[in-house]
Amino acid sequence: MLCPGLLRRLLALLWLWAGSASAGRGGRVLVMPVDGSHWLSMKLLVNELAVRGHEVVVLVPETSLLIEGSEKLPYRTETFAVPYTRAGLAQSIDWLKEGIFYKSPVLTDLSVNVQRLLNFTGTQVRGCEALLYNGPTMQQLRRRSFDLLLTDPFLPCGAIIAASLSLPAVYFLRGMPCGLDTQALQCPSPPSFVPRFQSGSTDRMNFGQRVKNLVMSVVELQLCRIMYAQFDELASRYLGQEVTYRELIGRGAIWLLRYDFTFEYPRPVMPNMVFIGGINCARAQSLPEDLEEFVEGSGEHGFVVFTLGSMVSSMPPEKAAEVFKAFSRIPQRVMWRYTGPVPDHVPENVKLMKWLPQNDLLAHPKARAFITHGGTHGIYEGICNGVPMVMLPLFGDQGDNVHRVASRGVGIVLSIYDITAETLLEALDKVINDSSYSSKMKKLSGIHNDRPIEPLDLAVYWTEFVMRHKGADHLRPAAHHLNWVQYHSLDVMGFLLVVVVTVALIIIKCCSLCLRQCCGRLRKTKVE
Amino acid sequence: MLCPGLLRRLLALLWLWAGSASAGRGGRVLVMPVDGSHWLSMKLLVNELAVRGHEVVVLVPETSLLIEGSEKLPYRTETFAVPYTRAGLAQSIDWLKEGIFYKSPVLTDLSVNVQRLLNFTGTQVRGCEALLYNGPTMQQLRRRSFDLLLTDPFLPCGAIIAASLSLPAVYFLRGMPCGLDTQALQCPSPPSFVPRFQSGSTDRMNFGQRVKNLVMSVVELQLCRIMYAQFDELASRYLGQEVTYRELIGRGAIWLLRYDFTFEYPRPVMPNMVFIGGINCARAQSLPEDLEEFVEGSGEHGFVVFTLGSMVSSMPPEKAAEVFKAFSRIPQRVMWRYTGPVPDHVPENVKLMKWLPQNDLLAHPKARAFITHGGTHGIYEGICNGVPMVMLPLFGDQGDNVHRVASRGVGIVLSIYDITAETLLEALDKVINDSSYSSKMKKLSGIHNDRPIEPLDLAVYWTEFVMRHKGADHLRPAAHHLNWVQYHSLDVMGFLLVVVVTVALIIIKCCSLCLRQCCGRLRKTKVE
């Protein structure tokens, strides 16, 4: 008999097909992705749109990490020339990862992180610029009358092209450095219960933490100015109008956000924010035969999956030695994505692989723990499949991500810079054998997977909605017409303060005048 | 061939069935409704839950306006004794409607409206109290182990019962007087672009309007204290703990809100707010034979539907005369829900009825205009079916509702107190013959009806979700642990101000000391 879960998926597909049938012809979608792990989940939406009959064109820099074209794909890729080589791109990534295994997270402070991020994005922004000023390509894009631009606003190219070609834009992202997404959405973000990036707080803060969070929210505003200065400059120069990047992305119709509230803390949101957390793990495939054999052979103890994301597949030998040592002392089998130097005696329970089907492995009933760097893709694969985690954050948003997971009691955070076999063993023992982790994770997973519509279907729906209605203006708050002072009613409060003070002064003046006159008369009467 | 719209509805039902199959047994739902028009749409959800296999018990005051029990219904009603008669209830409603046909809306000011509302709810709160203090009934309810309480928080009974029986609560409402729903939800509501109730502003305000709106938002806070004082007192007394009604309803798991952003202005929302605007008009039935014949006979001119809601079906003869006069001069046929005195010469194109299938009529392709009092049910039936409106607001939230509709250019507002045949004629002529109204309405209707899941299915889904997970804690913001000062970070800002001032004073003091010492030495040197 068809299981209800599968039936629901089937019905969802039929539902979307019915929607498509009523929506008429397929649309023309221009996609400006961000390379690297950002692409991995956006690709799912891009693919689905193409399968649904839309003409999808993906713009790819000729030097790319993960975006590949192929005749077999339902969407088309079109490459554009960029002024950097593969080595240059690799170098910018290496900067981002520099020292992550050796420095305490405290030492790699905010300014270093910002500088690294600027270096990293700087390379790609130059690529973006090359595309924008490539006259013939842009002319050709203009002529092709796209209906929509789908982009990740982490890089400025997409939003600038959308503005230049007057296309409605749909954004696909996890979030933006320094909270620019929240600002651009005009979404309130009270620092009293919305922890700021890298604040180390949860949504429940004591007074000291709230002070820190408020200060950081002011710092964030300034930080945004620095971080997006090159985006502002490029947008203004190319579009020939004074515009900040924040204003530019504020024009977006729908924001498809790769999180939900099993991961993020509940907070105010805006009507054009659509939550598609877990979009990357909805469809688990069965394992290849050799892997299936390996995990089935793990017996009652099950197995552990270990990856550090798409950008880090190795580690220094002395760190790796500690990890191997820990693994040699657990009864579970381990599958580890590792391309570093292999020592002589790899423990028998460990299988090293250049790449592994992470989500499919985590979906296996024998998966007991997931050692991850804490990228959102991995975290959601853990949550979807209900596997508790040991987390080793490396850079970027990973520190914040793992903090969220740990605060729910479904994972343990370790520092990669001072990891030892003992700390790793202890953490693994806890998440595997302390039932509180697995039971809390099962509950969280149940909540995450219990949703009226699957994330991928929801993403497709709203993308098509924007094409059908040429935007989503009815979800756009009037706050976009206000500046910061007006938004927070500071001008109104100032005005009311002036009125109150003036009235108070007039009353005091009148009273004192009256009093003086009365006293004067009284004195006069007495004298007479 | 099956049309895609119908197919989607069919698939949605199958989808929900699949969800239900995976959810296991049906739950036990206790329903504490609010009588009158509030019940009309809640009934749809109650019915659907019962049809879906849940055991649904609706508590009904023995003196009720619209809530009726019947063996044919899939849900069960259980009546409770109340200390007022039908006449008493009718009287409280009459107070609410007093003078609506004769006084200018400006004259029926805020305080009068508040007093009327307090009178109206007062009667029903006494009924609620009778239930709460009915020991045997409450004991019996406690024994029956319900899984969920579904209520409209417009009246306090449901939330108090939920707290008393420790049941998770789902709320079903349009909104609450003085914005208590927004406050209880801890939802930011910036007065710079979220117009307050009865402010007469849209979401785009000039400076003066923003001043008024900020003042009104402060007034609202005070107003809430007055309006809900009796709710606070009852809740605290019954539950034996100091609790405000705002805090009490703040514990609700999911808020099913009968609006969306084709009607309301886009504004910040919270993750546990679910928008089900249009729940009352998704399923249009075919018309009875006599009505079908009447509307079909209207030819190319089509017909007009006129109702003033479930509570007002008559009007003073001189007003009715003006309306009849206007109708006699239009080429459209008119269907009017009217139970007042009938004049001798009713125009031939007018059909008077005690009750009419409003939504089914509006769904007819020959419907040209809808004359309505501006209740949200009627407004959504107009929007769903794409029929432009002439609106005659009477009381309550209707003034605000019609303002929203008019601001979108899909309807015209008239005052019932000074209506004439000419003004009505002019308005009807505009909405019927000026194509801007019908084209804007068609567009709005298209957007409203374009949604990934039907409102009724969404309401069922989230109600079942709360039963499956015994609440929706993951959507509950930590803001519930903060008081007003903390929420707005006023304590933190005060602290930072003190720190800054202290540091500044110390620096000034040090500088002046240094300066004095230096000057002293200089003088000394000169003297020597």
Side-chain angles (χ1 to χ4, degrees):
Chain A
M1 193 195 148
L2 213 56
C3 74
L6 189 64
L7 181 61
R8 294 195 81 173
R9 176 77 210 144
L10 206 70
L11 290 169
L13 284 174
L14 272 166
W15 158 279
L16 283 173
W17 167 79
S20 170
S22 65
R25 73 158 182 89
R28 286 194 196 94
V29 182
L30 181 62
V31 183
M32 184 72 233
V34 166
D35 208 350
S37 64
H38 288 231
W39 168 244
L40 294 179
S41 47
M42 186 191 251
K43 188 170 69 171
L44 298 169
L45 173 59
V46 168
N47 197 72
E48 188 76 16
L49 286 169
V51 168
R52 296 280 314 283
H54 301 288
E55 186 190 327
V56 183
V57 175
V58 184
L59 296 174
V60 189
E62 61 183 358
T63 306
S64 159
L65 289 171
L66 294 176
I67 313 174
E68 283 173 0
S70 156
E71 297 247 320
K72 286 180 195 159
L73 293 169
Y75 54 87
R76 206 165 68 235
T77 54
E78 291 184 10
T79 53
F80 59 90
V82 287
Y84 53 79
T85 59
R86 186 165 288 274
L89 186 62
Q91 168 96 65
S92 78
I93 294 168
D94 286 342
W95 279 332
L96 202 62
K97 299 188 289 186
E98 196 189 324
I100 49 170
F101 289 103
Y102 294 110
K103 285 182 195 156
S104 151
V106 183
L107 293 175
T108 55
D109 62 8
L110 201 63
S111 70
V112 174
N113 279 338
V114 169
Q115 196 48 53
R116 282 180 183 173
L117 198 65
L118 284 176
N119 285 342
F120 175 64
T121 53
T123 306
Q124 296 183 60
V125 170
R126 279 192 293 128
C128 166
E129 202 169 341
L131 169 64
L132 292 174
Y133 286 98
N134 183 334
T137 303
M138 287 301 291
Q139 273 301 329
Q140 201 206 4
L141 290 179
R142 193 178 300 276
R143 270 199 303 273
R144 284 156 77 181
S145 312
F146 288 100
D147 296 305
L148 177 107
L149 187 126
L150 174 66
T151 192
D152 179 337
F154 183 78
L155 289 175
C157 229
I160 296 175
I161 292 176
S164 172
L165 304 188
S166 303
L167 296 180
V170 169
Y171 301 141
F172 186 103
L173 67 159
R174 149 73 179 106
M176 291 176 77
C178 83
L180 195 78
D181 48 337
T182 314
Q183 292 173 41
L185 276 155
Q186 302 284 356
C187 181
S189 187
S192 52
F193 66 99
V194 183
R196 292 304 185 264
F197 189 62
Q198 292 202 326
S199 70
S201 297
T202 70
D203 55 348
R204 290 207 195 184
M205 292 174 251
N206 59 29
F207 183 75
Q209 288 168 325
R210 286 196 293 115
V211 170
K212 184 181 173 191
N213 209 45
L214 182 72
V215 171
M216 288 190 76
S217 68
V218 177
V219 171
E220 249 187 4
L221 286 177
Q222 295 309 313
L223 216 60
C224 270
R225 293 220 178 115
I226 301 165
M227 291 180 78
Y228 296 101
Q230 56 179 343
F231 292 21
D232 294 347
E233 189 276 327
L234 177 60
S236 299
R237 173 159 46 92
Y238 185 75
L239 297 171
Q241 54 175 287
E242 263 314 303
V243 66
T244 64
Y245 188 54
R246 183 194 139 155
E247 284 161 12
L248 195 66
I249 55 171
R251 300 178 193 168
I254 291 286
W255 294 63
L256 302 171
L257 294 154
R258 279 197 298 105
Y259 59 81
D260 66 358
F261 299 99
T262 54
F263 167 63
E264 265 297 344
Y265 303 118
R267 47 155 298 158
V269 299
M270 295 304 277
N272 57 343
M273 293 163 80
V274 176
F275 302 98
I276 53 163
I279 191 169
N280 55 308
C281 55
R283 298 178 192 177
Q285 314 277 334
S286 55
L287 293 172
E289 214 166 300
D290 59 328
L291 277 189
E292 181 68 38
E293 203 173 305
F294 182 79
V295 300
E296 275 301 333
S298 66
E300 55 168 334
H301 292 299
F303 65 93
V304 173
V305 181
F306 180 16
T307 66
L308 290 177
S310 58
M311 285 162 84
V312 183
S313 62
S314 177
M315 57 170 71
E318 67 279 12
K319 300 268 170 204
E322 291 293 320
V323 174
F324 278 118
K325 194 168 146 195
F327 288 162
S328 70
R329 285 153 64 184
I330 60 171
Q332 283 77 25
R333 288 192 169 181
V334 180
M335 239 146 306
W336 181 4
R337 178 178 177 243
Y338 180 72
T339 58
V342 180
D344 290 341
H345 303 290
V346 172
E348 271 184 15
N349 63 332
V350 178
K351 189 178 178 78
L352 300 177
M353 301 170 77
K354 281 193 180 167
W355 175 89
L356 52 77
Q358 186 170 285
N359 188 48
D360 306 338
L361 279 169
L362 292 170
H364 195 281
K366 283 185 188 288
R368 293 287 178 271
F370 178 31
I371 311 175
T372 171
H373 64 305
T376 43
H377 287 108
I379 281 182
Y380 265 109
E381 287 169 4
I383 293 176
C384 282
N385 298 301
V387 182
M389 301 178 228
V390 172
M391 297 166 291
L392 303 160
L394 302 176
F395 52 82
D397 61 350
Q398 295 159 15
D400 275 54
N401 296 342
V402 302
H403 192 52
R404 277 156 177 66
V405 175
S407 75
R408 298 188 184 267
V410 299
I412 290 174
V413 184
L414 295 181
S415 278
I416 192 85
Y417 92 103
D418 61 0
I419 197 170
T420 64
E422 282 65 38
T423 53
L424 182 55
L425 261 178
E426 194 185 344
L428 278 173
D429 180 54
K430 267 195 184 164
V431 300
I432 294 172
N433 299 317
D434 180 342
S435 65
S436 111
Y437 287 90
S438 55
S439 71
K440 279 183 186 162
M441 187 44 127
K442 286 275 173 284
K443 197 176 165 196
L444 195 71
S445 183
I447 289 169
H448 168 72
N449 290 318
D450 191 348
R451 49 206 171 194
I453 183 162
E454 290 299 307
L456 182 58
D457 299 330
L458 199 62
V460 169
Y461 191 91
W462 282 106
T463 309
E464 292 186 336
F465 181 99
V466 173
M467 282 195 271
R468 280 194 288 273
H469 301 282
K470 303 185 194 319
D473 282 350
H474 72 298
L475 300 179
R476 186 175 174 75
H480 285 287
H481 298 274
L482 304 171
N483 61 36
W484 191 83
V485 169
Q486 291 169 329
Y487 183 100
H488 294 95
S489 296
L490 298 182
D491 53 346
V492 171
M493 284 192 257
F495 170 76
L496 289 175
L497 194 70
V498 168
V499 169
V500 168
V501 169
T502 310
V503 169
L505 283 177
I506 291 172
I507 290 172
I508 292 168
K509 198 79 189 165
C510 286
C511 287
S512 74
L513 265 176
C514 288
L515 216 66
R516 229 180 279 166
Q517 279 209 338
C518 287
C519 290
R521 258 185 230 150
L522 215 67
R523 236 176 279 144
K524 234 179 181 176
T525 320
K526 273 185 184 171
V527 171
E528 280 168 2
Chain B
M1 194 198 146
L2 213 57
C3 74
L6 190 63
L7 181 61
R8 295 194 81 174
R9 172 82 209 139
L10 207 68
L11 289 169
L13 284 175
L14 271 166
W15 158 280
L16 283 174
W17 168 80
S20 170
S22 65
R25 74 159 179 89
R28 286 193 197 93
V29 183
L30 182 61
V31 183
M32 184 73 233
V34 165
D35 207 351
S37 64
H38 288 230
W39 168 244
L40 294 178
S41 48
M42 187 192 250
K43 188 169 70 172
L44 297 168
L45 173 58
V46 168
N47 197 72
E48 189 76 14
L49 287 169
V51 167
R52 296 280 314 282
H54 301 288
E55 186 190 328
V56 183
V57 175
V58 184
L59 296 173
V60 189
E62 62 183 358
T63 305
S64 158
L65 288 171
L66 292 176
I67 313 174
E68 283 173 1
S70 155
E71 298 247 319
K72 286 180 195 157
L73 293 169
Y75 54 87
R76 206 164 69 232
T77 55
E78 291 182 12
T79 54
F80 58 91
V82 287
Y84 51 79
T85 60
R86 186 164 289 276
L89 186 64
Q91 168 97 66
S92 78
I93 293 168
D94 285 344
W95 279 332
L96 202 63
K97 300 188 291 186
E98 197 189 322
I100 49 170
F101 288 105
Y102 293 113
K103 286 182 196 156
S104 150
V106 183
L107 295 175
T108 56
D109 62 8
L110 201 63
S111 70
V112 174
N113 279 338
V114 170
Q115 197 49 52
R116 280 180 183 173
L117 197 65
L118 284 176
N119 285 341
F120 175 64
T121 52
T123 306
Q124 296 181 61
V125 170
R126 278 192 295 128
C128 165
E129 202 169 343
L131 168 64
L132 292 174
Y133 285 99
N134 183 336
T137 303
M138 287 300 291
Q139 273 302 329
Q140 202 207 4
L141 290 179
R142 192 178 301 274
R143 272 198 302 272
R144 286 157 76 182
S145 312
F146 288 100
D147 296 306
L148 177 108
L149 188 125
L150 174 65
T151 193
D152 180 337
F154 183 77
L155 289 175
C157 228
I160 296 176
I161 292 175
S164 173
L165 305 189
S166 303
L167 296 179
V170 169
Y171 302 141
F172 186 102
L173 67 159
R174 149 73 179 107
M176 291 176 78
C178 83
L180 194 78
D181 48 338
T182 313
Q183 292 174 41
L185 276 156
Q186 302 283 358
C187 181
S189 188
S192 52
F193 66 99
V194 182
R196 293 304 185 263
F197 188 63
Q198 292 203 325
S199 69
S201 296
T202 70
D203 55 348
R204 290 208 194 185
M205 293 174 252
N206 59 28
F207 183 76
Q209 288 168 324
R210 286 197 293 115
V211 170
K212 185 181 172 189
N213 209 44
L214 182 72
V215 171
M216 288 190 78
S217 68
V218 177
V219 171
E220 250 187 3
L221 286 177
Q222 296 308 314
L223 216 60
C224 271
R225 293 218 178 118
I226 301 166
M227 292 180 79
Y228 295 100
Q230 55 180 343
F231 292 21
D232 295 347
E233 190 276 328
L234 178 61
S236 299
R237 174 157 48 91
Y238 185 76
L239 298 171
Q241 55 174 286
E242 263 315 302
V243 65
T244 63
Y245 188 55
R246 183 194 139 154
E247 284 161 12
L248 195 67
I249 57 171
R251 300 178 193 169
I254 290 286
W255 295 64
L256 302 171
L257 293 154
R258 281 198 295 104
Y259 59 82
D260 67 357
F261 299 99
T262 53
F263 167 63
E264 264 298 344
Y265 303 118
R267 45 155 298 158
V269 299
M270 296 303 278
N272 58 342
M273 293 164 80
V274 176
F275 302 98
I276 53 164
I279 190 170
N280 55 309
C281 55
R283 298 179 192 176
Q285 314 277 335
S286 56
L287 292 172
E289 213 166 300
D290 59 328
L291 277 188
E292 181 67 40
E293 202 174 305
F294 184 79
V295 300
E296 275 300 336
S298 66
E300 56 167 335
H301 293 298
F303 65 94
V304 172
V305 181
F306 180 16
T307 66
L308 290 176
S310 57
M311 285 163 84
V312 182
S313 63
S314 176
M315 59 170 70
E318 67 278 14
K319 300 267 171 203
E322 291 292 321
V323 174
F324 278 118
K325 196 168 144 194
F327 288 162
S328 71
R329 284 153 63 183
I330 60 171
Q332 283 77 25
R333 286 191 171 182
V334 180
M335 241 146 307
W336 182 4
R337 177 178 179 244
Y338 181 71
T339 59
V342 179
D344 289 342
H345 303 290
V346 173
E348 271 184 16
N349 62 332
V350 178
K351 188 179 180 76
L352 301 177
M353 300 170 78
K354 283 192 179 168
W355 176 89
L356 51 78
Q358 188 170 284
N359 188 48
D360 305 337
L361 279 169
L362 292 169
H364 195 281
K366 283 186 188 285
R368 292 288 179 272
F370 177 30
I371 312 175
T372 171
H373 64 306
T376 43
H377 286 108
I379 281 181
Y380 265 109
E381 287 169 4
I383 293 176
C384 281
N385 298 301
V387 182
M389 301 179 230
V390 172
M391 296 165 291
L392 304 160
L394 302 177
F395 52 82
D397 62 350
Q398 295 158 14
D400 275 53
N401 295 343
V402 301
H403 192 52
R404 276 154 177 69
V405 175
S407 76
R408 297 190 184 266
V410 298
I412 290 173
V413 184
L414 294 181
S415 280
I416 191 85
Y417 91 103
D418 62 0
I419 195 170
T420 63
E422 282 65 36
T423 53
L424 182 56
L425 261 177
E426 194 185 342
L428 277 173
D429 179 54
K430 266 193 185 166
V431 299
I432 295 172
N433 300 318
D434 179 341
S435 65
S436 111
Y437 286 90
S438 54
S439 71
K440 280 183 185 162
M441 187 44 127
K442 287 274 172 286
K443 196 174 166 196
L444 195 70
S445 184
I447 290 170
H448 167 73
N449 290 319
D450 192 348
R451 51 205 169 194
I453 182 161
E454 290 300 305
L456 182 57
D457 300 330
L458 199 62
V460 168
Y461 192 89
W462 282 107
T463 309
E464 291 185 338
F465 181 98
V466 173
M467 282 195 271
R468 280 193 289 272
H469 302 282
K470 303 187 195 317
D473 282 351
H474 72 297
L475 300 179
R476 186 175 175 75
H480 286 286
H481 298 274
L482 304 171
N483 60 36
W484 191 84
V485 168
Q486 291 169 330
Y487 183 100
H488 294 96
S489 296
L490 298 182
D491 53 347
V492 172
M493 284 192 255
F495 169 76
L496 289 175
L497 194 69
V498 168
V499 169
V500 168
V501 169
T502 311
V503 169
L505 283 178
I506 290 172
I507 291 171
I508 292 168
K509 197 79 188 166
C510 288
C511 288
S512 74
L513 265 176
C514 290
L515 217 66
R516 231 181 277 166
Q517 280 208 336
C518 289
C519 290
R521 259 184 230 152
L522 215 68
R523 236 176 280 142
K524 236 178 180 177
T525 321
K526 275 185 182 170
V527 170
E528 281 166 5

